[in-house]
Amino acid sequence: CLQKTDAFLHRSIGTDVVVAQAEATRSDESDEKNGRKSLHTLHVERQEQAERSVLISCQTSTNEKKFLKYLTKHGEINKYFFYESYGVYAVVEFANQESVASLLEGVAIPGGSHESAVPFKSRLLSLRNLGSVDSSNQLSGWQCQPQTTIPINELIKRLSREESINKQISSLTEAYQLTEENSRLRFLVCSLLKDIATAYFPECTIKPFGSSVNGFGKLGCDLDMLLDLDSISGRNVKLPKSGLSLEYQMKRANSERAVTQSILSVIGKCIDQFGPGCVGVQKILNARCPLVRFAHQPSGFQCDLTANNRVAMKSTELLYLYGELDPRVRSLVFTVRCWARAHGVTSSIPGAWITNFSLTVMVLFFLQKRSPPIIPTLDHLRDLAGPADKSVIEGNDCTFVSDFNKIQLQSNTETQEQLLGEFFEFYATFPFSRMSLNIRKGKEQNKPEVAPLHIQNPFETSLNVSKNVNASQLDRFVALCQESAWLLQQSETSTPRGGGVGDEGAPTPWGLATLLLPSQVAGIKSRKKRRREPASERIKGLLESLKNKNQLKKS
Ligand code: GTP
Ligand code: MG
């Protein structure tokens, strides 16, 4: 989140904000019939579930039956699951919110002779000594839901056993995507933090955004949160000609940024001092996008809390919408993100690397450039928007359609395998030095400013989302695309090895698995350490084949 390069850098000071969104009036019914929910509906549902849920630290010796019997005294349970993160935890969702109140009524606040506890009754609880252990039914023997992805070596083995590249792509997506449980846990953490923030702002909400909800999140990704004060600030409400308005209580600051900073400062302090399980709280208020960063230990999430970040929420909605339009969108994004991480094209450390956000926009742009296009341009989505979709944030038009049924897709039948190969070829030969990627128009355009990689911000169109990327990182990306395109064209890579077993009993990597192995490309990573004669020969061949292909296309 610290890496945001444009919107947050240029966040205007004191500009008027107009958000004319009547989200509640949106019609989601027909989408739900098709199994597609708008992000708004998903948020409402998940938030409501989270409000009825508690997070309980358990002993591994806890007996599950007794655990359930104990909790159902407070009411019916809708869903529960266990997971491990510095101990075993359970997420328990009651059918009614009263059950949570009833449960909290009876909880004891621990006290010690040397320490005193802050008497804050949160929904993060600890359950101890439920009685004797029935060894056949201990939690330790119970299925804990995984909250992290399998290591890359495991993934490579799993993929190598698949029969086709299409299956490998689906298998990768399945292994990496957020699970139902992980998504619930993310909303629950937001809800627990909201309980703290409401001490200051009783009607606020805390919403997840970014990859936690945009459909492209990988298990273990960070939790980006937005402290939403819009329902209180009355941005959508016109000042009445008569009647009451807040005056006497209002404190004013000389910019919106200053207000955001002061709000995050107090909430950050509160999280630090009273937030159960929140550790390593850092207030990063002078960043381009002010934020509070901390680790939420019971969930294992690295959290970034921001406020007044409505454009980021809009980008999240847009990415979500694109991901829902065609299953190939999500699987290609997952595959490319995983490939990029395996080769160090992206990194968890901020720097001159390509970010996951930029990479996702690159995939979307590529899919718009297919013939026929797999996804529509953003301008087209704007043209389909109804009055309730209208959204203008700090003078930027962020309007696009939310009703899936209004979007007609063209019938492109390319397979995931074809698209992956074409993706690498597309960017192996893209004229980055002259052109900018523009998903609003679905066309490349002359670069408006000098930057190695120029990707127009979809909503703040004068900005470049990949402003941070330097020339050498772009070169590595291009070289890796060339290598991967070439690898996919080789029959020994692109055909299954019939379950052949290599060293140490592992299946021989093939197809997508080969693309995730350390790169052989000269000049990429550990330049000095690796012997690279065979690679330079291979890459020479690859460049030749790409050149020839390009010439064929042009002629
Ligand atoms: P992960 O790497 O899985 O965390 O992906 P992410 O999509 O969550 O990225 P990140 O945590 O860096 O940012 C969260 C959200 O902020 C993104 O999904 C975008 O909506 C937005 N965002 C991030 N970086 C940029 C940027 O450079 N420009 C703009 N306009 N928005 C950004
Ligand atoms: Mg994120």
Side-chain angles (χ1 to χ4, degrees):
C1 211
L2 264 184
Q3 178 110 11
K4 296 174 180 98
T5 51
D6 47 2
F8 312 104
L9 176 64
H10 293 82
R11 185 160 297 292
S12 52
I13 293 175
T15 39
D16 284 341
V17 177
V18 189
V19 181
Q21 263 186 307
E23 283 184 311
T25 63
R26 287 178 183 179
S27 152
D28 291 319
E29 284 161 22
S30 44
D31 289 330
E32 276 169 43
K33 266 186 238 145
N34 297 330
R36 284 191 300 198
K37 287 178 188 163
S38 75
L39 188 58
H40 175 70
T41 310
L42 192 107
H43 261 122
V44 171
E45 267 182 29
R46 287 267 189 248
Q47 268 169 13
E48 204 262 323
Q49 287 169 346
E51 292 286 293
R52 289 185 271 112
S53 303
V54 291
L55 186 53
I56 304 179
S57 157
C58 305
Q59 285 175 316
T60 44
S61 58
T62 306
N63 176 291
E64 191 185 15
K65 272 194 199 136
K66 285 186 180 155
F67 172 83
L68 289 176
K69 198 169 156 205
Y70 183 84
L71 293 173
T72 40
K73 276 191 234 150
H74 299 278
E76 188 191 335
I77 293 173
N78 268 2
K79 183 172 167 91
Y80 69 95
F81 62 88
F82 298 99
Y83 68 91
E84 269 185 283
S85 162
Y86 308 103
V88 177
Y89 285 85
V91 172
V92 179
E93 181 200 312
F94 286 99
N96 299 300
Q97 208 167 348
E98 296 80 66
S99 307
V100 176
S102 152
L103 190 75
L104 288 182
E105 228 165 76
V107 301
I109 295 182
S113 48
H114 305 297
E115 291 175 328
S116 298
V118 176
F120 170 53
K121 275 198 179 181
S122 88
R123 285 178 285 143
L124 173 58
L125 305 163
S126 176
L127 193 59
R128 300 277 174 261
N129 304 330
L130 260 194
S132 64
V133 174
D134 165 2
S135 60
S136 64
N137 196 12
Q138 285 180 7
L139 283 186
S140 50
W142 279 84
Q143 274 234 322
C144 275
Q145 296 295 326
Q147 306 301 320
T148 49
T149 49
I150 52 172
I152 187 88
N153 295 347
E154 281 293 311
L155 180 74
I156 289 175
K157 277 189 216 158
R158 188 182 290 189
L159 299 185
S160 304
R161 288 191 201 102
E162 298 290 352
E163 297 155 11
S164 67
I165 295 186
N166 284 331
K167 283 199 176 145
Q168 290 184 324
I169 294 173
S170 306
S171 170
L172 181 147
T173 310
E174 207 146 285
Y176 270 23
Q177 70 194 352
L178 299 187
T179 57
E180 158 82 18
E181 286 78 13
N182 191 266
S183 171
R184 279 171 186 262
L185 185 56
R186 285 171 188 269
F187 276 88
L188 177 53
V189 171
C190 289
S191 175
L192 296 176
L193 288 163
K194 184 219 64 177
D195 289 351
I196 297 173
T198 50
Y200 285 99
F201 303 104
E203 290 155 82
C204 76
T205 51
I206 292 191
K207 293 178 175 161
F209 71 100
S211 59
S212 294
V213 282
N214 67 15
F216 303 123
K218 170 184 155 188
L219 274 177
C221 68
D222 67 355
L223 174 56
D224 302 294
M225 290 175 284
L226 175 69
L227 174 69
D228 189 356
L229 299 169
D230 281 0
S231 58
I232 317 171
S233 69
R235 279 177 207 283
N236 306 338
V237 183
K238 279 200 186 123
L239 204 61
K241 289 210 176 78
S242 60
L244 292 174
S245 71
L246 293 168
E247 182 58 50
Y248 150 73
Q249 305 160 15
M250 290 309 265
K251 289 257 178 183
R252 291 169 199 274
N254 54 12
S255 70
E256 249 193 83
R257 181 177 163 86
V259 173
T260 304
Q261 285 170 326
S262 80
I263 291 173
L264 284 176
S265 176
V266 286
I267 301 292
K269 187 157 189 201
C270 218
I271 291 175
D272 193 16
Q273 304 206 335
F274 309 135
C278 301
V279 297
V281 180
Q282 284 173 277
K283 290 197 261 176
I284 310 171
L285 302 179
N286 288 323
R288 291 166 283 209
C289 171
L291 71 131
V292 177
R293 174 166 287 177
F294 56 95
H296 185 259
Q297 247 177 7
S299 62
F301 294 141
Q302 179 65 38
C303 301
D304 279 349
L305 177 67
T306 59
N308 193 17
N309 197 357
R310 286 179 299 281
V311 182
M313 194 48 110
K314 269 286 155 193
S315 317
T316 304
E317 264 183 59
L318 180 68
L319 262 46
Y320 173 85
L321 182 105
Y322 275 128
E324 287 289 296
L325 287 180
D326 186 299
R328 290 170 294 180
V329 180
R330 288 186 65 234
S331 55
L332 190 60
V333 171
F334 269 102
T335 308
V336 171
R337 277 192 177 203
C338 174
W339 166 88
R341 192 72 179 87
H343 294 294
V345 167
T346 52
S347 164
S348 55
I349 311 158
W353 291 274
I354 297 177
T355 61
N356 269 335
F357 181 66
S358 295
L359 201 59
T360 308
V361 178
M362 290 174 96
V363 175
L364 297 179
F365 180 74
F366 160 75
L367 293 172
Q368 290 175 335
K369 294 279 292 180
R370 305 310 301 148
S371 178
I374 292 184
I375 51 171
T377 64
L378 177 52
D379 272 352
H380 182 67
L381 296 178
R382 182 206 52 209
D383 295 343
L384 295 175
D389 298 320
K390 185 150 179 59
S391 167
V392 181
I393 302 174
E394 295 179 7
N396 296 300
D397 187 2
C398 300
T399 306
F400 59 90
V401 65
S402 61
D403 181 354
F404 287 104
N405 296 301
K406 288 193 191 159
I407 307 168
Q408 291 286 323
L409 296 177
Q410 306 202 40
S411 58
N412 176 311
T413 55
E414 284 171 290
T415 63
Q416 295 175 340
E417 174 180 354
Q418 284 166 334
L419 289 172
L420 185 64
E422 295 282 339
F423 172 87
F424 291 128
E425 266 191 48
F426 182 81
Y427 285 114
T429 53
F430 188 83
F432 286 111
S433 59
R434 291 182 292 113
M435 304 309 247
S436 159
L437 280 69
N438 180 339
I439 61 162
R440 194 160 262 288
K441 305 251 173 276
K443 277 200 196 105
E444 54 267 43
Q445 291 185 319
N446 287 330
K447 268 191 200 174
E449 62 192 34
V450 189
L453 176 60
H454 198 284
I455 303 175
Q456 191 195 60
N457 182 318
F459 295 121
E460 291 162 291
T461 52
S462 60
L463 309 179
N464 173 13
V465 299
S466 51
K467 200 179 166 139
N468 62 312
V469 177
N470 65 20
S472 72
Q473 289 303 322
L474 179 65
D475 289 349
R476 293 188 64 235
F477 172 74
V478 171
L480 281 158
C481 284
Q482 291 171 344
E483 187 188 46
S484 292
W486 180 81
L487 281 170
L488 284 177
Q489 286 163 15
Q490 307 309 301
S491 57
E492 76 261 30
T493 321
S494 60
T495 41
R497 295 293 162 88
V501 172
D503 300 344
E504 294 162 24
T508 316
W510 76 277
L512 177 55
T514 323
L515 303 193
L516 302 178
L517 294 172
S519 164
Q520 299 296 310
V521 175
I524 294 184
K525 240 183 177 177
S526 48
R527 187 184 273 265
K528 290 185 189 110
K529 283 183 219 149
R530 205 169 272 148
R531 297 197 46 196
R532 46 191 157 83
E533 315 90 75
S536 48
E537 280 309 308
R538 282 160 62 194
I539 205 72
K540 236 193 264 165
L542 158 69
L543 291 175
E544 283 309 311
S545 82
L546 287 172
K547 257 191 237 155
N548 292 342
K549 256 201 163 176
N550 255 12
Q551 263 152 15
L552 278 178
K553 273 187 196 159
K554 277 182 204 144
S555 57

